[in-house]
Amino acid sequence: MISEETKQLVDKGIMLPLMEEFYTIQGEGFHKGTAAYFIRIGGCDVGCHWCDVKESWDAEVHPPTHVGQIIENAVKYSKTIVVTGGEPLTWDMTELTDGLKKKACNVHIETSGAYDLTGTWDWICLSPKKIKLPKPEIYPLANELKVIVFNKHDLKFAEEQASKVGKDCILYLQPEWSNREKMIPLIVDYVMENPKWKVSLQTHKYLNIP
């Protein structure tokens, strides 16, 4: 059980429930193939049934860590930083991103957009979920929209979400990993018929890296 003092620091974003941090190759979306340092923050109540990091959901099992330490660890490896989760916007990202920007880092976020946008970002990957839709204000700020396709209806959802983002937002359809053999042919056909979309694959899983 964390102390009240620590809880207050977490609420302010001075400490964050750090699940894991690692240097790897970005496997998805626009920056795929790019070396990047990933900071995975615990805590998420969006609850996607197909989530491949369900161990991130419970923030209380991940140790509150000072953002200064997180930043120090990150900049040893890369100037490209990806903040993911869980749902990182559960927490105030201001302290973390301010510190990373002072170190001249390019700071990316992967988010469902379900919570208020905090922090300063060079790249916002918005991956909306039906269960808990994004806040309206994040749509025009998204650099890429990545919709996970688990079934055919998700294509309709993808179009609904695409109608809300800015004109320069890059649109991706990504097969849900466990259902990829069924969904990839569907996505390929859809993108060929609707070329405003691109296909995103979880290439890191094919490469067998984190």
Side-chain angles (χ1 to χ4, degrees):
M1 187 135 179
I2 64 173
S3 69
E4 186 59 33
E5 180 184 3
T6 297
K7 184 178 182 301
Q8 289 177 5
L9 292 173
V10 171
D11 289 342
K12 293 176 181 177
I14 296 169
M15 298 181 80
L16 293 168
L18 181 64
M19 177 182 166
E20 59 181 346
E21 48 188 344
F22 51 94
Y23 185 47
T24 188
I25 302 294
Q26 170 62 277
E28 305 176 10
F30 182 80
H31 293 282
K32 65 182 176 299
T34 302
Y37 191 84
F38 278 69
I39 298 168
R40 188 181 300 282
I41 306 299
C44 183
D45 65 357
V46 178
C48 305
H49 66 91
W50 39 255
C51 176
D52 56 4
V53 278
K54 287 180 177 162
E55 61 272 26
S56 70
W57 290 3
D58 185 358
E60 293 185 6
V61 304
H62 304 297
T65 306
H66 278 279
V67 295
Q69 184 63 56
I70 297 173
I71 293 164
E72 185 180 327
N73 292 348
V75 298
K76 291 175 186 174
Y77 293 91
S78 182
K79 291 292 187 181
T80 300
I81 311 297
V82 180
V83 181
T84 185
E87 173 44 70
L89 292 181
T90 304
W91 317 102
D92 190 336
M93 293 284 110
T94 306
E95 291 283 335
L96 178 62
T97 59
D98 284 357
L100 288 167
K101 294 305 293 177
K102 284 176 184 174
K103 298 287 188 179
C105 293
N106 286 309
V107 192
H108 305 182
I109 187 171
E110 298 180 350
T111 178
S112 68
Y115 292 92
D116 291 339
L117 183 67
T118 54
T120 302
W121 307 98
D122 296 290
W123 192 267
I124 297 174
C125 173
L126 176 62
S127 186
K129 307 299 186 292
K130 297 174 186 173
I131 308 163
K132 201 164 190 175
L133 292 172
K135 295 271 189 171
E137 59 270 21
I138 199 169
Y139 286 107
L141 302 175
N143 300 101
E144 68 178 284
L145 176 74
K146 184 174 68 183
V147 178
I148 309 303
V149 180
F150 182 77
N151 56 44
K152 190 174 182 179
H153 184 268
D154 290 330
L155 298 173
K156 182 174 183 289
F157 175 70
E159 291 292 351
E160 291 168 356
Q161 295 301 295
S163 71
K164 300 180 182 183
V165 298
K167 65 181 177 60
D168 295 324
C169 184
I170 304 166
L171 307 178
Y172 288 103
L173 298 173
Q174 179 171 297
E176 192 279 322
W177 181 254
S178 71
N179 210 25
R180 65 191 182 281
E181 291 185 8
K182 289 182 180 178
M183 290 300 106
I184 286 175
L186 184 72
I187 291 170
V188 167
D189 287 346
Y190 193 84
V191 170
M192 291 177 73
E193 292 170 7
N194 302 273
K196 67 180 181 180
W197 291 95
K198 299 177 184 292
V199 179
S200 175
L201 296 173
Q202 292 179 293
T203 59
H204 55 292
K205 293 187 176 181
Y206 290 101
L207 295 170
N208 197 29
I209 57 176

